[in-house]
Amino acid sequence: IYRETLSKRGVRVLTDLGKYFRQVDKNRNGFLSQAAFKEALKVFHLEMPEGDFESLWLILDDSKSDKVDYGEFTRAIFGEMNEYRKAFVRKAYMKLDFNKTGSVPMVDVRKCYCAK
């Protein structure tokens, strides 16, 4: 039960952290500066010693751009998707990209998906 509760809390925190990232990303470029990332950790009570934060930042900012995007963050936390999930995502994408253009405009996503 403890492990299940811990994992549910972990997923909830990561989900909420993703929402927070999108809220503080004022220019909508998908990136957060080191200071903004540190503040996000503080908001979610995930503070750590400065040395540990620096180590974490080096892992997350693998492109050495002095900023981190949510994709880099989730890959560092969860790792790469397994083959089953990748196949599922490809199948869903092929359904959304019914014109076979290689991109899916939001209008097409809205035709197939309702977030309500």
Side-chain angles (χ1 to χ4, degrees), residues 4-5 8-10 14 16 22 26 31 34 41 44 52 59 66 68 77-79 81 87-88 94-95 97 101:
E4 184 177 317
T5 303
K8 284 181 183 178
R9 180 187 179 275
L14 288 173
D16 291 347
R22 288 185 289 279
K26 300 297 183 204
F31 292 97
Q34 188 174 2
L41 294 179
F44 286 89
D52 291 347
I59 293 168
D66 203 29
V68 66
I77 300 298
F78 294 116
M81 284 192 284
F88 188 79
M94 290 172 69
K95 187 168 185 137
D97 186 21
T101 61

Side-chain angles (χ1 to χ4, degrees), residues 6 13 28-29 34 36 42 45 52 55 59 61 64-65 68 73-74 84-85 87 89 96 98 103 106 108-109 113:
L6 184 60
V13 167
R28 301 271 189 232
N29 66 2
Q34 188 174 2
K42 185 186 291 185
H45 308 289
D52 291 347
S55 297
I59 293 168
D61 185 24
K64 307 297 180 244
S65 60
V68 66
F73 175 75
T74 55
Y84 174 79
R85 288 185 66 206
V89 169
L96 289 172
F98 50 86
S103 65
M106 281 305 296
D108 290 348
V109 173
Y113 178 76

Side-chain angles (χ1 to χ4, degrees), residues 34-105:
Q34 188 174 2
F37 183 71
K38 190 179 282 191
E39 182 62 28
L41 294 179
K42 185 186 291 185
V43 167
F44 286 89
H45 308 289
L46 299 171
E47 295 169 273
M48 60 189 73
E50 188 62 32
D52 291 347
F53 178 82
E54 292 298 327
S55 297
L56 173 63
W57 185 258
L58 289 174
I59 293 168
L60 293 176
D61 185 24
D62 60 354
S63 63
K64 307 297 180 244
S65 60
D66 203 29
K67 55 190 171 192
V68 66
D69 70 30
Y70 189 65
E72 287 177 336
F73 175 75
T74 55
R75 277 189 298 282
I77 300 298
F78 294 116
E80 292 295 324
M81 284 192 284
N82 63 35
E83 288 306 314
Y84 174 79
R85 288 185 66 206
K86 285 181 185 177
F88 188 79
V89 169
R90 282 188 207 102
K91 189 174 180 179
Y93 185 82
M94 290 172 69
K95 187 168 185 137
L96 289 172
D97 186 21
F98 50 86
N99 291 327
K100 308 295 182 235
T101 61
S103 65
V104 181

